[in-house]
Amino acid sequence: MDVESSLATGAPEVVLAAGLLVLLLVGAFQGDRAADGISWGGVLLLVAAAVPLFDQEPARTLAWGGLYVADALSRYLKLLVFAGAAAALLVAMPALRRQAIARFEYPLLVLFATLGMALMVSAHDLLTLYLGLELMSLSCYVLAAFDRCDARSSEAGLKYFALGALASGVLLYGVSLVYGFVGATGFDAIAQAVRGEGRSLGVVAGLALVLAGLAFKISAVPFHMWTPDVYQGAPTPVTAFLATAAKVAAFGLLLRVVVGAFGALAADWRQIVVFLSLASMALGAVGAIGQTNAKRLMAYSAITHMGFALIGLAPGTAQGAQAVLLYLTVYLVMTFGAFLCLLSLVGPDGAAREELADLAGLARTRPGLAAALAIFMLSLAGLPPLFGFMPKLAVFAAAVEAGLWPLAVAGVLATVVAAFYYLRVVKLLYFDPPAGVGSAQVDEGVAPILMLAAASFSSPLGFLLLGPLSAAGQAAARALF
């Protein structure tokens, strides 16, 4: 494929990269006074980057010498990532301004990370995989330490960087092993070699290391150790971005690697995925019980939910891939909605409040905010008739259909345990005496609209979108098989 055709196929990334350079120049010349303008410019840029996705053919198209693929799966995941990044930009500036850290670098870093995520979900080669992953990771390291005056934020950035660098080294070593034993880095070439030559110990070892590096990015146990500290220490808008768009992109990449490139080694990688799933569900569900900080609670919630999503990945079937995509979609909305509620939680002095005790009696001082947070918590718990029940049912059904019913049973048990700490939040909201928090009105801009939309999606109204989401997810999953 020539350069012109490659530019057309990779139009979302081309538009995003070109616009980023323009916004970077604006920030360099205008400074922090252009922060709001760059944020809105970033949102418009993400919309412009998403437009070519609707014009792309659903058929699989390779570009840039086979390093890049555009298909229904990449389109689905990019729309999720762009939506999550745009929402993160829309709600960030008011919160950052309250903390006196509203600088123009924030939207630029979010856009750089989003560009890396777009490359990740369209990766068709181990080198493209690494390029996109590092572009996302380096941006996220800086975002985690964005509040330079807060020791917790600096600590979060340092821990994230140190452990992330270790995970990247492990992943890169795995890539080198795969290349050494296969002689290629392209996904098609790897898949063909694995099918033709059969199981090779070196390739399996390389695959295990690649999975370890990717498991770090989705916070799967035992590669989760950074998650609670980074979620708590990073500014809340950054945490919301890391917990939503970054998780979706990393899991989408994991899906493409194990099913697309190493599908013939399903018997090998399934054992690793099942272990990651069981460990994540167990530790996430139990570890959250003793938490007193809301953001740390959401960190363990993310670990648990990645374990649930891995249940759908374990079968290695089209039904399982479709269930994973539905899970990622609903998880993104529910989690972002919960962080929107935390962004709106302030004390009478205008300072942010993050402790669970600060939620006590919120239904009496901010009933609308309490109702929205209760919907998100109950939906994250997977309680019917809320929409969060549906993706869990889908991944459990996929596991049972593939004969992995013990894994599905473990998921049900983990759901019961995890329901405790979600219900505890609802109990704090409605049955405890007020803690004097939330009296200040801080719902600026589009945050109330996004919160209402997310709460509606997480409620039983979300089932109205089940048909279109299932159809889009089915088409995206078929792109892998």
Side-chain angles (χ1 to χ4, degrees), residues 19-43 89 92-93 96-97 100-112 142-143 146 148:
L20 251 173
L21 294 178
V22 174
L23 293 178
L24 182 61
L25 289 174
V26 172
F29 284 103
Q30 297 294 321
D32 291 341
R33 63 179 180 274
D36 287 325
I38 293 176
S39 292
W40 282 102
V43 173
L89 289 177
M93 277 304 158
L96 296 178
R97 193 174 293 109
I101 54 172
R103 297 192 294 272
F104 79 92
E105 292 94 341
Y106 176 82
L108 293 174
L109 288 168
V110 169
L111 291 173
F112 273 114
V142 181
L143 283 170
F146 197 73
R148 293 174 295 188

Side-chain angles (χ1 to χ4, degrees), residues 23-401:
L23 293 178
L24 182 61
L25 289 174
V26 172
F29 284 103
Q30 297 294 321
D32 291 341
R33 63 179 180 274
D36 287 325
I38 293 176
S39 292
W40 282 102
V43 173
L44 296 176
L45 183 58
L46 289 169
V47 173
V51 169
L53 294 173
F54 296 98
D55 295 331
Q56 289 181 349
E57 295 294 330
R60 180 172 176 265
T61 306
L62 298 181
W64 306 111
L67 298 174
Y68 177 100
V69 62
D71 55 13
L73 177 63
S74 66
R75 177 167 60 182
Y76 188 100
L77 292 171
K78 283 178 190 177
L79 288 174
L80 284 183
V81 167
F82 289 170
L89 289 177
L90 285 171
V91 302
M93 277 304 158
L96 296 178
R97 193 174 293 109
R98 288 197 302 271
Q99 296 178 253
I101 54 172
R103 297 192 294 272
F104 79 92
E105 292 94 341
Y106 176 82
L108 293 174
L109 288 168
V110 169
L111 291 173
F112 273 114
T114 306
L115 178 59
M117 296 174 198
L119 288 174
M120 286 165 58
V121 300
S122 279
H124 198 246
D125 188 283
L126 293 175
L127 298 180
T128 315
L129 175 157
Y130 190 74
L131 177 65
L133 194 66
E134 286 305 293
L135 180 56
M136 179 195 78
S137 298
L138 291 173
S139 302
C140 290
Y141 299 153
V142 181
L143 283 170
F146 197 73
D147 189 355
R148 293 174 295 188
C149 297
D150 187 348
R152 296 183 309 165
S153 181
S154 300
E155 180 186 0
L158 182 60
K159 286 183 177 179
Y160 196 12
F161 171 73
L163 295 173
L166 177 62
S168 295
V170 170
L171 185 145
L172 198 57
Y173 186 50
V175 168
S176 67
L177 279 177
V178 172
Y179 175 70
F181 282 88
V182 173
T185 55
F187 288 177
D188 284 346
I190 292 173
Q192 183 177 359
V194 170
R195 283 194 300 267
E197 300 174 8
R199 185 175 183 272
S200 166
L201 183 59
V203 174
V204 172
L207 172 60
L209 293 175
V210 170
L211 286 177
L214 295 179
F216 175 89
K217 301 303 177 183
I218 65 170
S219 304
V221 176
F223 309 101
H224 68 289
M225 64 290 293
W226 61 274
T227 313
D229 290 336
V230 171
Y231 273 41
Q232 181 181 7
T236 303
V238 174
T239 306
F241 179 65
L242 296 177
T244 53
K247 285 287 189 295
V248 168
F251 209 105
L253 177 60
L254 177 63
L255 186 65
R256 191 179 287 282
V257 169
V258 298
V259 177
F262 296 95
L265 295 179
D268 293 296
W269 59 252
R270 184 178 293 120
Q271 301 176 50
I272 300 174
V273 170
V274 168
F275 169 76
L276 293 175
S277 176
L278 291 172
S280 299
M281 290 188 297
L283 188 141
V286 175
I289 293 176
Q291 301 303 315
T292 59
N293 182 275
K295 289 165 70 175
R296 290 186 74 89
L297 177 70
M298 292 303 297
Y300 283 98
S301 171
I303 295 170
T304 309
H305 281 281
M306 290 301 102
F308 289 133
L310 286 168
I311 293 178
L313 177 62
T317 61
Q319 181 185 358
Q322 180 183 353
V324 167
L325 293 175
L326 176 63
Y327 202 105
L328 294 176
T329 304
V330 180
Y331 166 80
L332 182 146
V333 177
M334 295 186 301
T335 303
F336 194 83
F339 277 105
L340 276 177
C341 295
L342 295 180
L343 280 171
S344 299
L345 188 67
V346 299
D349 57 352
R353 294 292 188 268
E354 300 174 356
E355 299 299 315
L356 289 177
D358 297 327
L359 298 173
L362 194 64
R364 304 181 194 179
T365 56
R366 297 284 296 280
L369 181 62
L373 185 55
I375 289 175
F376 296 132
M377 290 294 108
L378 296 176
S379 191
L380 283 166
L383 299 181
L386 298 174
F387 197 33
F389 167 75
M390 194 60 218
K392 284 190 178 178
L393 180 63
V395 296
F396 294 161
V400 172
E401 182 70 20

